[in-house]
């Protein structure tokens, strides 16, 4: 209860202070002017009416009357008239009660006369004017607050875009640094392929597969581009082939890629990095749990899932940077709607990515926006 009162006072202390000054000034000034002070109950009753009329006007009548521009010509005058008549009749009723209980002295011929109405009208115009000023001041302060909030939101958006641009620029620079003369690399791999083709069919096939994968990675290096997901699936199968070749086909792998995902345009090196991460950090021994890799459409979302055994002796260099990079790239490309989960379930490490299809289908718009930001 104390907290509620304290919070209320903290919010409305300025109103309380201003009304206290206003009432004190009127009571003292008028009392000194006429040479007489009224009964406190009489003052309290009439100031309750005055304050009530003030807030009724500012918070109800004026907002309702000015809300609809087409109806303001009749709504506002009707509301103002209702307010005045209510104020007049309520004041008259209070005066009758004050006189009856002798909290005020009855004047000769006291009734709802023209002079009494004129006195209340003067009082009403005075208070209504203050109420109108408060209404517009309140609207001005609220508009300034909205403008400040919008400006803050705009600045935060600019800062976020600048962070994205810097992150993307860094990623591109890192990628370019990694491309140490790719033509030299491909020529070297081609030389090795021809040199070993007659000696070992498996070795030559491994070199050719590696060359094709490296070429795909280089060609897909610009992060704002998209590729057909089926093209990346081919590279995943080549990566699995290379690791199977190294382990003499001893790694248990199960893949499933639904037909409807194969033609989706998607940012590159996501699926490939996920699979590479399995072989780099997971348990891929022949007797380990089966590696599962899938991409399907469920509930209007592209869902990519991987599952692999946990490496009981992880490499010290494993920091999760690969998964963080995947998550950041996905959220940069497709927004906050991306659901990225990676967790341990028993002795399995599972990754699940879900992206709404509308986000993927509007990738061209994102691509144009990204191009504009980079320029």
């Amino acid at each position: 209860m104390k907290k509620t009162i304290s919070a209320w006072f903290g919010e409305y202390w300025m109103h309380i202070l201003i009304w206290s000054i206003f009432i004190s000034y009127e009571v003292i000034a008028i009392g000194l002017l006429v040479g007489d002070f009224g009964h406190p109950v009489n003052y309290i009753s009439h100031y309750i009416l005055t304050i009530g009329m003030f807030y009724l006007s500012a918070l109800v009548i004026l907002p309702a009357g000015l809300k609809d521009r087409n109806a303001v010509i009749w709504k506002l005058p009707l509301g103002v008239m209702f307010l005045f008549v209510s104020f007049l009749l309520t004041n008259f009723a209070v005066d009758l009660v004050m006189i009856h209980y002798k909290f005020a002295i009855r004047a000769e011929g006291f009734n709802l006369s023209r002079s009494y109405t004129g006195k209340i009208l003067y009082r009403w115009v005075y208070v209504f004017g203050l109420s109108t000023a408060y209404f517009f001041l309140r609207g001005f302060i609220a508009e300034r607050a909205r403008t400040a909030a919008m400006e803050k939101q705009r600045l935060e958006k600019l800062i976020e875009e600048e962070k994205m641009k810097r992150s993307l620029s860094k990623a591109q620079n890192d990628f370019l640094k990694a491309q140490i003369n790719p033509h030299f690399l491909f020529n070297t791999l081609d030389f090795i392929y021809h040199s070993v083709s007659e000696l070992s069919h498996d070795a030559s096939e491994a070199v050719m597969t590696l060359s094709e994968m490296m070429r795909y990675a280089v060609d897909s290096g610009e992060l704002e581009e998209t590729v057909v997901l089926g093209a990346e699936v081919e590279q995943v199968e080549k990566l699995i082939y290379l690791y199977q070749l190294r382990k003499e086909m001893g790694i248990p792998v199960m893949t499933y890629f639904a037909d409807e995902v194969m033609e989706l345009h998607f940012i590159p090196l996501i699926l490939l990095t996920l699979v590479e991460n399995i072989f780099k950090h997971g348990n891929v021994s022949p007797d380990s749990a089966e590696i599962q890799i899938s991409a399907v459409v469920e509930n209007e979302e592209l869902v990519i899932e991987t599952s692999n055994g946990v490496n009981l002796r992880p490499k010290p260099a494993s920091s999760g940077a690969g998964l963080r990079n995947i998550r950041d790239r996905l959220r940069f490309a497709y927004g906050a709607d991306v659901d990225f989960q990676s967790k341990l379930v028993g002795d399995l490490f599972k990754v699940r990515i879900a992206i709404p299809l509308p986000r993927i289908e509007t990738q061209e718009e994102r691509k144009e926006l990204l191009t504009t930001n980079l320029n």
Side-chain angles (χ1 to χ4, degrees), residues 207-220:
V207 171
M208 181 56 67
T209 301
L210 177 60
S211 178
E212 291 171 354
M213 289 180 60
M214 294 298 295
R215 190 175 296 278
Y216 171 82
V218 170
D219 291 342
S220 304

Side-chain angles (χ1 to χ4, degrees), residues 228-264:
V228 176
L229 193 54
E232 184 141 333
V233 168
E234 291 180 12
Q235 305 308 313
V236 167
E237 291 171 346
K238 290 174 182 177
L239 180 62
I240 294 172
Y241 166 74
L242 287 177
Y243 275 97
Q244 291 279 26
L245 196 62
R246 287 178 55 191
K247 299 294 182 179
E248 297 180 352
M249 304 297 179
I251 304 174
V253 180
M254 192 279 285
T255 62
Y256 176 72
F257 303 105
D259 292 339
E260 60 263 37
V261 308
M262 302 300 275
E263 297 301 320
L264 288 177

Side-chain angles (χ1 to χ4, degrees), residues 25-46:
Y25 165 75
E26 278 203 339
V27 169
I28 294 172
I30 295 174
L32 293 176
L33 184 65
V34 301
D36 186 26
F37 290 91
H39 196 282
V41 174
N42 193 26
Y43 283 132
I44 292 171
S45 302
H46 283 89

Side-chain angles (χ1 to χ4, degrees), residues 74-108:
W74 64 268
K75 259 190 174 182
L76 186 60
L78 188 64
V80 171
M81 182 63 68
F82 167 79
L83 192 66
F84 170 68
V85 172
S86 301
F87 188 63
L88 172 64
L89 296 177
T90 309
N91 266 280
F92 184 70
V94 169
D95 282 333
L96 288 177
V97 172
M98 293 298 105
I99 291 171
H100 177 76
Y101 287 102
K102 297 183 171 39
F103 291 123
I105 300 173
R106 180 185 179 93
E108 284 295 326

Side-chain angles (χ1 to χ4, degrees), residues 327-358:
R327 180 197 60 201
D328 293 344
R329 286 188 59 206
L330 286 171
R331 289 182 177 168
F332 180 78
Y334 302 113
D337 290 339
V338 173
D339 180 25
F340 184 97
Q341 299 179 27
S342 59
K343 57 185 177 181
L344 284 172
V345 181
D347 59 350
L348 296 176
F349 182 75
K350 293 178 176 286
V351 175
R352 185 180 188 275
I353 299 170
I355 308 165
L357 287 180

Side-chain angles (χ1 to χ4, degrees), residues 166-272:
R166 290 181 180 179
S167 297
L168 184 59
S169 178
K170 182 178 183 301
Q172 288 181 313
N173 288 335
D174 291 343
F175 180 81
L176 291 173
K177 289 176 183 178
Q179 297 184 59
I180 305 173
N181 199 342
H183 293 293
F184 173 77
L185 172 63
F186 296 139
N187 290 337
T188 302
L189 289 173
D190 186 61
F191 168 76
I192 295 173
Y193 168 76
H194 287 95
S195 297
V196 303
S197 59
E198 295 181 1
L199 300 175
S200 171
H201 174 74
D202 287 343
S204 62
E205 284 300 311
V207 171
M208 181 56 67
T209 301
L210 177 60
S211 178
E212 291 171 354
M213 289 180 60
M214 294 298 295
R215 190 175 296 278
Y216 171 82
V218 170
D219 291 342
S220 304
E222 297 203 11
L223 301 181
E224 74 273 18
E225 297 294 340
T226 58
V227 297
V228 176
L229 193 54
E232 184 141 333
V233 168
E234 291 180 12
Q235 305 308 313
V236 167
E237 291 171 346
K238 290 174 182 177
L239 180 62
I240 294 172
Y241 166 74
L242 287 177
Y243 275 97
Q244 291 279 26
L245 196 62
R246 287 178 55 191
K247 299 294 182 179
E248 297 180 352
M249 304 297 179
I251 304 174
V253 180
M254 192 279 285
T255 62
Y256 176 72
F257 303 105
D259 292 339
E260 60 263 37
V261 308
M262 302 300 275
E263 297 301 320
L264 288 177
H265 285 264
F266 197 63
I267 58 173
L269 305 178
I270 296 295
L271 188 57
L272 195 60

Side-chain angles (χ1 to χ4, degrees), residues 254-319:
M254 192 279 285
T255 62
Y256 176 72
F257 303 105
D259 292 339
E260 60 263 37
V261 308
M262 302 300 275
E263 297 301 320
L264 288 177
H265 285 264
F266 197 63
I267 58 173
L269 305 178
I270 296 295
L271 188 57
L272 195 60
T273 305
L274 278 176
V275 177
E276 195 274 339
N277 205 61
I278 291 174
F279 290 115
K280 185 176 180 181
H281 300 296
N283 183 358
V284 293
S285 60
D287 57 348
S288 66
E290 182 181 61
I291 296 171
Q292 298 181 1
I293 307 161
S294 66
V296 298
V297 172
E298 292 179 355
N299 301 320
E300 291 298 308
E301 291 183 324
L302 169 63
V303 178
I304 299 173
E305 293 182 293
T306 65
S307 173
N308 60 274
V310 177
N311 194 341
L312 299 178
R313 289 182 296 178
K315 297 178 181 179
S318 177
S319 62

